[in-house]
Amino acid sequence: MSDDDDRAVATPQAERHMLESLVCPVTQGQLTYDRAAQELISATAHLAFPIRNGIPIMLASEAREIE
């Protein structure tokens, strides 16, 4: 048995809960998880933070501006 076999696999519900517990690094406000776009949306900051390979990129310099 390898170390890979011992890793817990996140369920989509657990993944969603984890992502929704994050806050915007700019405003400290709530984020909305957009599963289809693989982004965390900060309506207050008008920014969309990308999720790459399952990892949220919480840098304002990496976020795209939204209207």
Side-chain angles (χ1 to χ4, degrees):
M1 183 178 260
S2 71
D3 289 348
D4 291 337
D5 295 333
D6 294 336
R7 291 185 191 162
V9 177
T11 64
Q13 184 177 22
E15 178 182 310
R16 181 181 180 124
H17 179 68
M18 179 199 66
L19 291 174
E20 289 180 344
S21 68
L22 296 173
V23 297
C24 175
V26 176
T27 66
Q28 303 302 307
Q30 184 177 5
L31 295 168
T32 305
Y33 175 45
D34 183 339
R35 184 176 179 188
Q38 286 297 289
E39 294 178 325
L40 292 169
I41 308 297
S42 173
T44 306
H46 302 283
L47 294 172
F49 297 91
I51 300 171
R52 297 185 188 129
N53 298 321
I55 301 170
I57 310 300
M58 304 303 292
L59 300 170
S61 62
E62 292 289 319
R64 70 177 179 87
E65 291 186 26
I66 57 175
E67 292 183 19

